[in-house]
């Protein structure tokens, strides 16, 4: 298919086309996630540009912060077509387990769209947030996760295991292996990055160059890559809807996984605190021992000098 045909296919996509109908889903939600500054917001602008616009518009604010913090902090939805919406989730840097739980909650749509995402630090804070969101549960969004990763960020060995777990858990939360979008393709070796993600369990990996405020001159190749990602995402939806999905039962299953994850994160944090306290106590005990040893030493020295100089000369 050429770009025009791909565009037409995306614009006319409907959830009702399969043999089992839409199974209760009314829209496709493309959930973007990934590290801060890797190009999630730019990807949204690129999608809007290639689907609709004559001119480039920055719908989602994109940029870089001096302190490497997140530019996007509010979880926002951008309607792409009648049936497809993109969600710009809050990016992360080096997350702890509670931040991860919130990423999973964002991915599974357990956190309302349109709200500021503040990373929570403990069990009760995360649980409060989830319970508030559960007042109005959403069963009708078909979620396709899209992991956005810059080719510039080569993962150190210790982060690879975490990324693998993230990909696996993302599948558990959505039923779909995330599509990996490698951004800034001209700034690194795409082949190596693709191999790395494949070794971590990713199946669909597409490298792109986003349209940005600085560079948005029309380019067939760039447009095609972005249309390919959207087409891939819709293929996932179609093939998934050929199977029985059961949105409600799935949501219950995912909620269980999430609660268990938060519980484990809490246990981990408690263990970590306990270990830190034990280490502190051990340090204090050693310090006390050292002080006692020192004072014993001084006492011995004092006794020695006393004996030596207090002894009468004629004794
Ligand atoms: N050259 C190039 N620059 C890009 C590309 N994608 C994004 N950028 C630039 O990278 C910077 C960060 O992009 P954003 O889209 O704001 O990244 P983000 O993932 O939304 O970041 P947060 O909201 O902070 O999590 C911006 O200056 C973009 O112009 C790309 O494919 N190529
Ligand atoms: Mg952003």
């Amino acid at each position: 298919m050429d770009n025009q045909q791909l565009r037409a296919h995306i614009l006319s996509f409907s959830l009702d086309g399969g043999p089992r109908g839409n199974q209760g889903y009314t829209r496709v939600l493309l959930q973007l996630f990934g590290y801060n500054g890797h190009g999630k917001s730019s990807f949204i602008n690129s999608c809007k540009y290639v689907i609709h616009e004559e001119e480039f518009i920055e719908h989602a604010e994109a940029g870089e912060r001096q302190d490497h913090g997140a530019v996007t902090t509010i979880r926002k939805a951008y309607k792409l077509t009648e049936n497809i919406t993109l969600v710009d989730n809050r990016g992360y840097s080096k997350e702890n387990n509670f931040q991860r739980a919130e990423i999973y909650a964002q991915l599974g749509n357990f956190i309302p769209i349109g709200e500021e995402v503040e990373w929570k630090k403990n069990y009760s804070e995360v649980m409060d947030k989830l319970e508030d969101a559960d007042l109005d549960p959403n069963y009708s969004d078909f979620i396709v996760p899209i992991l956005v990763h810059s080719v510039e960020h080569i993962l150190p060995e210790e982060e690879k295991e975490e990324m693998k777990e993230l990909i696996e858990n993302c599948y558990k939360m959505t039923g779909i292996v995330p599509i990996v979008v490698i951004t800034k393709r001209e700034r690194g070796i795409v082949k190596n990055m693709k191999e790395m993600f494949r070794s971590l369990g990713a199946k669909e990996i597409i490298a792109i160059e986003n349209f940005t405020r600085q560079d948005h001159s029309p380019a067939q190749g760039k447009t095609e890559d972005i249309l390919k990602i959207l087409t891939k995402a819709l293929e996932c939806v179609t093939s998934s809807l050929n199977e029985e999905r059961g949105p409600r039962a799935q949501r219950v299953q995912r909620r269980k996984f999430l609660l268990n994850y938060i519980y484990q994160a809490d246990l981990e944090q408690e263990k970590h605190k306990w270990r830190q306290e034990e280490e502190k106590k051990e340090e204090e005990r050693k310090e006390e021992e050292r002080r006692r040893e020192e004072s014993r030493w001084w006492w011995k020295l004092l006794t020695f000098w006393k004996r030596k100089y207090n002894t009468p000369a004629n004794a």
Side-chain angles (χ1 to χ4, degrees):
M1 279 200 257
D2 65 19
N3 286 357
Q4 208 48 46
Q5 287 165 323
L6 286 174
R7 200 176 281 118
H9 169 67
I10 293 161
L11 278 164
S12 64
F13 180 81
S14 153
L15 284 144
D16 307 326
R20 292 172 197 265
N22 65 28
Q23 299 193 44
Y25 296 104
T26 54
R27 70 171 173 179
V28 176
L29 214 56
L30 304 180
Q31 294 262 31
L32 307 182
F33 70 109
Y35 289 116
N36 295 332
H38 280 219
K40 296 177 292 300
S41 302
S42 302
F43 181 67
I44 288 180
N45 297 329
S46 301
C47 290
K48 298 274 270 182
Y49 186 42
V50 302
I51 291 290
H52 295 294
E53 277 137 12
E54 298 290 309
E55 277 179 33
F56 177 82
I57 302 170
E58 199 173 273
H59 295 271
E61 186 191 354
E64 265 159 40
R65 276 179 37 171
Q66 293 291 336
D67 62 358
H68 303 292
V71 171
T72 308
T73 56
I74 295 177
R75 201 170 167 248
K76 246 177 147 177
Y78 297 84
K79 192 169 171 177
L80 187 67
T81 72
E82 252 339 284
N83 298 315
I84 309 167
T85 292
L86 292 144
V87 180
D88 200 2
N89 287 309
R90 176 165 188 175
Y92 45 83
S93 42
K94 186 93 184 80
E95 1 61 295
N96 64 23
N97 284 347
F98 284 111
Q99 282 192 11
R100 277 197 170 222
E102 284 199 66
I103 293 163
Y104 300 143
Q106 288 183 37
L107 282 172
N109 236 6
F110 286 91
I111 291 178
I113 293 172
E115 281 188 12
E116 181 87 28
V117 179
E118 279 174 61
W119 299 124
K120 303 296 183 198
K121 293 187 187 65
N122 58 47
Y123 183 76
S124 54
E125 280 185 2
V126 180
M127 289 305 290
D128 282 352
K129 196 166 164 180
L130 285 182
E131 273 162 22
D132 287 350
D134 247 14
L135 294 174
D136 187 17
N138 177 317
Y139 302 104
S140 55
D141 286 334
F142 191 110
I143 297 161
V144 180
I146 298 186
L147 170 57
V148 177
H149 192 92
S150 161
V151 75
E152 289 180 307
H153 186 79
I154 296 163
L155 288 183
E157 260 337 289
E158 67 274 14
E159 277 179 43
K160 284 188 188 163
E161 210 36 54
E162 289 174 10
M163 183 61 89
K164 188 165 184 250
E165 194 193 298
L166 187 72
I167 292 173
E168 281 167 9
N169 288 341
C170 180
Y171 176 73
K172 288 183 191 152
M173 281 310 290
T174 63
I176 307 272
V177 179
I179 297 174
V180 177
V181 173
I182 297 173
T183 55
K184 314 188 186 184
R185 64 172 301 159
E186 281 165 20
R187 296 191 181 172
I189 304 170
V190 168
K191 184 171 160 275
N192 294 354
M193 194 54 92
K194 280 190 174 175
E195 268 167 23
M196 196 234 15
F197 271 106
R198 211 161 281 125
S199 75
L200 302 181
K203 293 198 172 104
E204 299 295 346
I205 310 158
I206 301 175
I208 61 161
E209 193 57 38
N210 272 316
F211 291 97
T212 61
R213 200 184 318 142
Q214 295 79 11
D215 180 9
H216 51 265
S217 44
Q220 285 292 317
K222 273 168 81 166
T223 302
E224 187 181 342
D225 292 338
I226 288 156
L227 291 172
K228 258 196 218 156
I229 295 166
L230 294 171
T231 312
K232 256 302 150 234
L234 298 182
E235 272 172 30
C236 286
V237 179
T238 309
S239 68
S240 229
L241 281 179
N242 285 339
E243 311 287 322
E244 190 64 51
R245 292 266 303 187
R248 278 170 200 270
Q250 279 191 344
R251 196 173 195 279
V252 171
Q253 201 66 27
R254 286 170 194 164
R255 195 171 188 281
K256 270 189 202 157
F257 166 79
L258 193 59
L259 294 185
N260 185 46
Y261 189 89
I262 297 166
Y263 172 69
Q264 296 297 337
D266 187 48
L267 269 186
E268 209 43 56
Q269 194 176 59
E270 286 303 313
K271 265 196 228 159
H272 183 69
K273 262 196 232 157
W274 180 81
R275 270 196 298 266
Q276 274 183 331
E277 272 164 26
E278 287 300 303
E279 274 169 23
K280 199 170 152 220
K281 276 188 212 156
E282 183 62 14
E283 279 301 309
E284 284 168 0
R285 198 189 57 71
K286 279 186 186 157
E287 180 60 23
E288 182 60 29
E289 183 64 27
R290 198 188 56 74
R291 257 191 258 120
R292 273 207 211 117
E293 187 57 35
E294 204 174 80
S295 78
R296 270 202 292 272
W297 190 83
W298 279 110
W299 185 246
K300 273 188 199 162
L301 197 65
L302 201 68
T303 323
F304 171 80
W305 285 111
K306 263 192 188 161
R307 283 218 190 104
K308 187 163 176 169
Y309 293 106
N310 288 351
T311 315
N314 55 357

